[in-house]
Amino acid sequence: MDLGEENKMCSQVWLSEKQTGQKSMKFFQNSNHDHILIERDLYPPLLGNNECSAKNIGEYFRSESDEDREFDEDDSVFMDCEPVSTDTVRFLGENVQFSKLKELCPEAGTEPNNIARKRSWKKKKCLSLDSRRWDNAKESISKASKMLRRRIPQSGHLMTAKKFWLQTIPSNDCDIVVAFPPDTPESTVAWLQSKIQRLSELTVITRTLTFSRQRAQLASCFAFQITATYPAFLRGLEEMHVPKHLKEELGGGRKEFSLAEGGNFHHIEDAEKFLTSADRQSVLLHFLNGLRAEKGDFVGDIKFREGEAIVPKCLSCGIISQVYPLHENTGLEVLQKSWVQKVFGLQPLDKISEYFGIKIAFYFAWLGHYTTALTVPAIVGLAFWIFFCGRAEFLEDIGFVLFSFFNVIWATLYLESWKRRSAELSYEWGTIDNRDEMLSEPRPLYQGEDRVSEVTGKPEPYYPAWKRNFFRYFVTAPVILFSLLTVFFSVFLILEFQQWIDFLIQEKNYFQFIRYIPKILLAIIIPIFDGFYHKVAVWLNDMENHRSEDTYEDHFVLKLLLFQFVNSFLALFYTAFYLQDMDKLKELLAALLITRQVVGNIKESLIPYAKKQIKLAKMSFDLFGALSPTTTEPNDVTETLEEHKKTDGDKHEFTDSEKESMRKSSGPRQVSQVEVEGSTPQYEGTFDDYLEMFIQFGYVTLFSSAYPLAGLCALLNNLIEVRSDAFKLCFIHQRPFPQRVQNIGSWQTAMEVMGIIGVVVNCALIGLSGPVHRIFPNITGAQTVILIIVLEHIMLLLKLLISAAIPDIPHSVAQKLAKIEYKRREVERMMNKQRVMEIQGRMDSKDSISPVSGDLEDKETQYEIESGDTRIIA
């Protein structure tokens, strides 16, 4: 083989080995660090026994067996090597093989500092020029990344996948966590631990954990990791009256769990199948909320009254920073794939209710149902926009009136259909026959004098209704009315100020930028009023002292909805009925639908997710130091330090602390699940999500007759909103405690009220916007008012007839309920009959008994009959 063929093989082998990532290239290096590319293993005569080291690639070789062949520039790559020193030239000149190589490469330079070697290859066998440039680009980006991470160590976390800078270790030894603020005295922790340990079946582990607090500052805190035994969980299910599936041979369906009838329930023998993680966490929270203070109990400066709930009081006073349940990694991954990432699929409502609880599942069921229902006004509105808007004036007026009637009918049908869907879901999830409020447990912060309940016969706090009503009528109502009037007049004055500014700009040619002054004032004032009113509403609701959680939340929703209605719809009412400008109403409604929804999604999902990632990255950096900017093994810290120097080309010497930080960062970055989830934001509940959709429903129902595309805008937003809200739960926030509800509560009432308001508003728009006068040119003002009132009553009557004609509970659900109830009664009757026959058989089998023993056995028999709820009719 001649020299040209040997060099050709050398270059091709090097190229293939470069693709596989092997480090086979060697470089001659003299004292001046000048270098030239050589393959030592494949071409040993060129280097002999001289010292070589791995360096950057300098050039490709070029040689051909045919010296006279003309080279195609597209098939060749020419790379000039770096200038070499005189020592290098002398060494290469003494080597006979290199002289032959120069003869085969006449294009190579002959001057000492301009030696160049060239190499060509066939496209089918070697790398292309684009691949070479791409490799160079990736190498340049890698160098820049390493230098940035060297100069700004924290940046490495944001430039690398999370799995490289933070790994979560599952915490399988607990279900919920009770965390304390930093610097909490050990005596406070010990006092609360002693109270919790009175429940002997609970397992409490006290640990010192590291959480990322406000402003991403790390803090070392005490925390309880709590779980319980299987018998304790069963006892909690019985106390909470949680329904479970009965065996089919005993009637099927769901029934409140009872330890006495434990064998009648499905999978009672298997704790993993019988209890979900949501069940365990609900029971543990029930146990914690059930801890009551004794007379004279106090901790720090906080004194407890006798019978007061300890944990809720500690939470409100700041003794406990947070109580949160842990995610179940397997169930969470299933929801992430089947719910969040599956954009166009149906929502797995059963899995959501099982994992997050029925309350959250009801919200997503309602949101999905509402989004599906929006397809009707979206299609009809688009049709009206195409065929009526911009046409002849008479045709446009007819379309306006017809679309107003359509809005009322659609809203009524949608609300009735949701009632039926809600009944189906509550039946499937076992809450359709929820316990009466008088039978439910009082909420933990409910206060009152202790007395025996007339319903349950158990001691519980009692608060007279007349005190609550007195406070509601003479304190709550005036405060809310004053707040609403303040907001109303403030917003009204700013809108009037906007009209005056627009007049000045139009008539007197004032500067255009002053147009934004009223908008800025409104953007500043509304959040201030919102925050202040929220605090006032919380105080008023607490002072009303509602007994149950459902009642407390219903009244709280009502208070906030009054404020939000004024805040969200005043500008539209002002434009529609005060200015009577329909064109401006269309523009304003379109702007509110688009901007409010886009900004809402960014504010709810994207910004919290970015904050969480930055917070966890800061946590990883504070715990383990900066990421190593090289790909060396964790133990090869010396090479890592040297590579740091070579990345920037400076002569920076690392201090001992920097070396220690790098050694620390090279190890595994593992943090417990308890610490990671304790550092993430808490889920604030479904109120804001419901409120956003409620306001959107108002836009569509009240004013879409002026802007028919409102339904289409709402539909497009909700297609994103469903996955956005799911993303919040599965990727951003802590897992919320599951709650059992029968329906969506007061939001159903609020939407029905909005439907009635929609009738009035649509009729008023028909009368004030001009269609009536254009359709009936000779009509007087009084006749117009009478016509609008007649239309309003017709719409209300139509709405009432539709509501009465459609039953709230579907026939299929009512039939299933009756069938299950019949089976249960039959099974209970057969069991009671069998029990009575057994008792009578024991009585007949007695041959001789003493009078005393006979009396005792009679009493025992009577007790068995009474406990079995058996009635014997003579």
Side-chain angles (χ1 to χ4, degrees), residues 230-242:
Y230 186 44
F233 285 127
L234 295 181
R235 180 168 59 86
L237 291 178
E238 184 179 36
E239 292 178 2
M240 296 174 64
H241 310 284
V242 177

Side-chain angles (χ1 to χ4, degrees), residues 704-848:
S704 63
S705 56
Y707 182 62
L709 294 181
L712 180 61
C713 294
L715 174 63
L716 296 177
N717 170 78
N718 287 10
L719 292 175
I720 302 174
E721 185 72 22
V722 173
R723 307 303 169 183
S724 174
D725 291 343
F727 178 79
K728 289 191 305 182
L729 277 168
C730 295
F731 287 95
I732 300 178
H733 295 285
Q734 292 178 358
R735 182 180 183 178
F737 279 103
Q739 299 181 44
R740 298 182 58 82
V741 295
Q742 189 173 7
N743 46 45
I744 62 175
S746 56
W747 293 104
Q748 177 74 32
T749 305
M751 285 186 289
E752 290 179 353
V753 173
M754 183 68 77
I756 297 174
I757 297 175
V759 172
V760 179
V761 171
N762 279 277
C763 291
L765 287 175
I766 292 173
L768 295 178
S769 61
V772 174
H773 296 281
R774 288 190 290 268
I775 295 175
F776 305 102
N778 298 323
I779 194 172
T780 63
Q783 291 174 339
T784 302
V785 173
I786 295 174
L787 179 61
I788 296 303
I789 293 176
V790 171
L791 284 176
E792 176 189 348
H793 282 69
I794 292 175
M795 288 187 179
L796 289 175
L797 180 61
L798 180 63
K799 182 179 177 65
L800 182 62
L801 291 176
I802 294 175
S803 301
I806 301 176
D808 294 343
I809 299 178
H811 176 72
S812 59
V813 174
Q815 191 175 21
K816 290 178 182 177
L817 288 172
K819 184 177 180 180
I820 291 175
E821 184 64 24
Y822 173 77
K823 286 184 178 181
R824 288 180 185 175
R825 291 184 180 183
E826 287 296 310
V827 170
E828 186 176 358
R829 185 178 64 84
M830 295 298 296
M831 293 177 64
N832 290 337
K833 183 178 180 180
Q834 183 178 1
R835 189 180 298 115
V836 170
M837 292 177 64
E838 291 177 357
I839 295 173
Q840 290 178 348
R842 289 201 304 266
M843 294 176 62
D844 295 339
S845 63
K846 294 184 298 181
D847 295 332
S848 60

Side-chain angles (χ1 to χ4, degrees), residues 79-283:
M79 301 286 292
D80 292 336
C81 67
E82 297 183 8
V84 297
S85 65
T86 306
D87 296 336
T88 306
V89 174
R90 183 168 56 252
F91 166 76
L92 296 175
E94 295 173 355
N95 194 301
V96 180
Q97 299 294 337
F98 180 70
S99 300
K100 295 181 180 179
L101 180 63
K102 290 177 62 178
E103 294 175 0
L104 294 173
C105 300
E107 293 86 355
T110 58
E111 296 184 3
N113 290 332
N114 193 30
I115 296 178
R117 300 175 181 179
K118 302 176 182 180
R119 177 68 181 152
S120 66
W121 68 92
K122 295 181 180 179
K123 290 183 179 180
K124 296 182 180 180
K125 296 182 179 180
C126 304
L127 294 175
S128 65
L129 181 61
D130 291 339
S131 299
R132 176 64 182 167
R133 289 176 177 174
W134 175 244
D135 292 337
N136 290 336
K138 290 194 295 184
E139 186 177 356
S140 300
I141 294 174
S142 177
K143 289 181 180 179
S145 172
K146 293 176 183 177
M147 185 179 67
L148 181 62
R149 289 155 62 181
R150 157 87 159 71
R151 297 297 187 184
I152 307 176
Q154 297 91 331
S155 63
H157 294 75
L158 303 179
M159 300 166 61
T160 315
K162 182 182 175 183
K163 63 181 179 181
F164 293 111
W165 50 264
L166 190 65
Q167 299 175 7
T168 304
I169 304 175
S171 301
N172 299 320
D173 57 346
C174 73
D175 290 296
I176 68 172
V177 179
V178 178
F180 294 86
D183 302 327
T184 301
E186 293 186 12
S187 58
T188 301
V189 178
W191 177 84
L192 187 58
Q193 185 177 8
S194 64
K195 293 294 184 181
I196 297 177
Q197 287 179 341
R198 290 188 301 183
L199 301 172
S200 59
E201 295 174 313
L202 266 62
T203 302
V204 182
I205 302 175
T206 305
R207 290 180 177 171
T208 302
L209 303 175
T210 301
F211 296 108
S212 181
R213 314 297 295 181
Q214 295 180 352
R215 299 182 180 179
Q217 297 296 323
L218 292 185
S220 181
C221 309
F222 288 108
F224 296 154
Q225 296 183 198
I226 304 176
T227 186
T229 61
Y230 186 44
F233 285 127
L234 295 181
R235 180 168 59 86
L237 291 178
E238 184 179 36
E239 292 178 2
M240 296 174 64
H241 310 284
V242 177
K244 285 291 183 179
H245 284 285
L246 278 174
K247 295 179 179 179
E248 291 297 330
E249 59 269 19
L250 298 177
R254 293 176 182 261
K255 184 179 180 181
E256 290 184 1
F257 179 77
S258 172
L259 285 172
E261 302 175 352
N264 299 339
F265 294 90
H266 266 302
H267 304 302
I268 185 66
E269 66 283 351
D270 189 346
E272 294 295 330
K273 294 182 179 180
F274 188 72
L275 289 175
T276 64
S277 59
D279 290 334
R280 298 195 304 268
Q281 292 164 356
S282 297
V283 169

Side-chain angles (χ1 to χ4, degrees), residues 852-867:
V852 177
S853 62
D855 293 340
L856 291 175
E857 191 162 356
D858 289 342
K859 292 181 180 180
E860 182 180 355
T861 303
Q862 182 180 3
Y863 172 76
E864 290 182 358
I865 294 176
E866 290 177 354
S867 63

